[in-house]
Amino acid sequence: MAKSGIDDFTTPWSASTSSSPQTAVTPYDKAGNAGTPTTLTFTNDSTAPTGGAITANGSASQTYRSGTQVPLSVTNYTDAGSGIATNVITRASATYNAADGTCGSFTGSTVVTISAGNDSATLGDGCYQYTLTGTDNVGNTSSVTSAAV
């Protein structure tokens, strides 16, 4: 019977390994002819993405805004390990208590699209908080949340 595919891996390795083990592999065609061997190096990536930031309404502290759109400033996460898969902005909302200027408990997680530097949704009265979540190509995540608007 002809061999096809690649040789089995001979070096055990798991995601918790902190080293960078190498495994030699040999490709085979359907007729069983061996191709040029190559060495694969495995690298563990358990580090979350870094560098993300989000500011709503131009401030790092709670601000008030009249109008129906909230300006957002975003610095996307990056990842030096496996690379960044996604940067997603979500919005949570809460009731606003005008008597004491406070927000209730934030709930929800609506995905946000930015248009011309603003949350593209038309928003009503209330409090809003934005979260930027970066996920790398192996599932590590980091999140940062804005102050309330």
Side-chain angles (χ1 to χ4, degrees):
M1 172 177 227
K3 198 175 194 179
S4 66
I6 60 172
D7 285 340
D8 291 332
F9 293 109
T10 55
T11 304
W13 187 81
S14 71
S16 62
T17 302
S18 61
S19 64
S20 296
Q22 295 182 333
T23 297
V25 295
T26 303
Y28 292 89
D29 64 17
K30 289 186 178 187
N33 300 309
T36 304
T38 190
T39 300
L40 299 178
T41 301
F42 296 90
T43 304
N44 184 28
D45 178 6
S46 59
T47 304
T50 59
I54 188 163
T55 303
N57 204 33
S59 180
S61 58
Q62 181 173 325
T63 59
Y64 301 91
R65 178 164 183 81
S66 60
T68 59
Q69 291 190 312
V70 176
L72 298 174
S73 175
V74 177
T75 302
N76 282 329
Y77 282 99
T78 59
D79 186 77
S82 62
I84 200 74
T86 61
N87 278 287
V88 177
I89 302 167
T90 56
R91 176 183 59 249
S93 61
T95 57
Y96 175 67
N97 182 342
D100 64 5
T102 61
C103 297
S105 296
F106 285 93
T107 60
S109 181
T110 303
V111 175
V112 171
T113 302
I114 296 178
S115 176
N118 297 312
D119 178 345
S120 64
T122 301
L123 303 173
D125 289 342
C127 294
Y128 299 96
Q129 199 169 46
Y130 295 86
T131 300
L132 171 66
T133 302
T135 305
D136 70 14
N137 286 308
V138 294
N140 299 311
T141 63
S142 289
S143 293
V144 63
T145 301
S146 75
V149 177

